[in-house]
Amino acid sequence: MSVTKKDVDYVADLARLELTEEETESLAGDMNQILDHIATLEEVDTSDVEPLEHVIDLEYRLRDDKAEEPLSHDDALKNAPDADSDYFRVPRVID
């Protein structure tokens, strides 16, 4: 399968992107390289490989889940960029 400029224009239209002619040509080339690489990967025999949930074995890399004392109110506010006596102060985002 080969990606054409028409395919790139279609996907760009779906994503509401405006691309120049040079960007369209560049993306078509990049997508074709990706598809060529995937075709190369499909040639690898993976019949003996067990399916993985994670690339690394996470079972032994997690720390024990144990309860600890919570932060005090003062410690929680100590590194806040802006705080009053009881709360974090953040910039207003809704007018």
Side-chain angles (χ1 to χ4, degrees):
M1 177 181 180
S2 178
V3 177
T4 64
K5 291 192 317 186
K6 181 179 176 184
D7 297 328
V8 173
D9 286 334
Y10 175 72
V11 172
D13 185 51
L14 290 175
R16 301 193 190 290
L17 298 174
E18 292 182 22
L19 301 176
T20 64
E21 186 67 28
E22 295 83 25
E23 291 171 327
T24 303
E25 290 176 12
S26 176
L27 284 172
D30 291 346
M31 289 179 179
N32 282 318
Q33 284 181 337
I34 291 168
L35 290 175
D36 290 343
H37 184 69
I38 290 172
T40 302
L41 291 176
E42 288 177 344
E43 295 173 4
V44 176
D45 179 23
T46 58
S47 59
D48 296 351
V49 179
E50 287 185 41
L52 298 174
E53 185 174 308
H54 295 284
V55 177
I56 58 173
D57 184 17
L58 294 177
E59 183 176 346
Y60 302 108
R61 298 187 187 269
L62 300 176
R63 64 176 170 78
D64 291 337
D65 189 16
K66 58 185 175 183
E68 295 181 2
E69 290 295 317
L71 288 175
S72 70
H73 187 74
D74 292 333
D75 285 342
L77 292 175
K78 187 180 354 180
N79 290 323
D82 190 15
D84 63 17
S85 62
D86 293 324
Y87 303 102
F88 288 96
R89 298 188 82 190
V90 296
R92 182 181 200 106
V93 292
I94 300 175
D95 291 328

